[in-house]
Amino acid sequence: MSTSIDTSVDIGREQELRLIWDRIRTMVYDDDRRAEVSAAAGLSFVKVKALRRLLKQPMPMRDLAALLVVDKPYMTQVVDALEERGLVLRTVDVRDRRCRIVSLTEEGREVALRSEEILTRPPAVLALLPDADLAELTRILASLPTTGDGEPS
């Protein structure tokens, strides 16, 4: 893989956008955090995602399933496994006894926080940028509109 983009050739805006996006994707995917965090936690990535979502607050299983974009039966399997490991508690909602609320145990919170540290650690390649380039990248990224719900993936 080349370490730089040849800026001396006029390749057109669309091709330039593709090259930039390819570089960003490569930086993110080559730094395989999903595998790292799954190995560190001893959990599948969807279970790690569930714990991370619960860091903010306990929530009904149906809401957690919607956030993780999984169906309710699969969410039950995920929560069963997390509960078996002592990482979450499932309680009855006092306002609606048909609803189950999922919350982190202290051990679950520790696993979620360690996972958060791994997943939010910047790729090492960014630290190689000179301060001026990092400041310019920060300026450029700050000018882009935000997307998504701002929650962890």
Side-chain angles (χ1 to χ4, degrees), residues 50-64:
L51 294 177
R52 291 176 69 218
R53 291 293 181 146
L54 292 168
L55 268 173
K56 199 175 220 178
Q57 66 185 21
M59 67 181 70
M61 284 182 56
R62 68 173 170 267
D63 293 355
L64 186 56

Side-chain angles (χ1 to χ4, degrees), residues 58-84:
M59 67 181 70
M61 284 182 56
R62 68 173 170 267
D63 293 355
L64 186 56
L67 286 171
L68 298 177
V69 192
V70 299
D71 60 26
K72 291 174 189 172
Y74 183 61
M75 190 75 263
T76 298
Q77 291 177 3
V78 168
V79 171
D80 285 348
L82 293 172
E83 191 173 41
E84 191 174 296

Side-chain angles (χ1 to χ4, degrees), residues 37 40-41 43 47-59 82-83 85-89 101-119:
V37 76
L43 297 168
K47 291 174 185 148
V48 170
K49 284 174 40 174
L51 294 177
R52 291 176 69 218
R53 291 293 181 146
L54 292 168
L55 268 173
K56 199 175 220 178
Q57 66 185 21
M59 67 181 70
L82 293 172
E83 191 173 41
R85 291 255 324 252
L87 302 174
V88 299
L89 293 174
I101 304 294
V102 184
S103 59
L104 293 172
T105 62
E106 190 52 44
E107 184 180 355
R109 179 169 305 289
E110 289 171 14
V111 171
L113 289 170
R114 279 195 312 269
S115 299
E116 194 72 11
E117 286 176 25
I118 292 169
L119 291 167

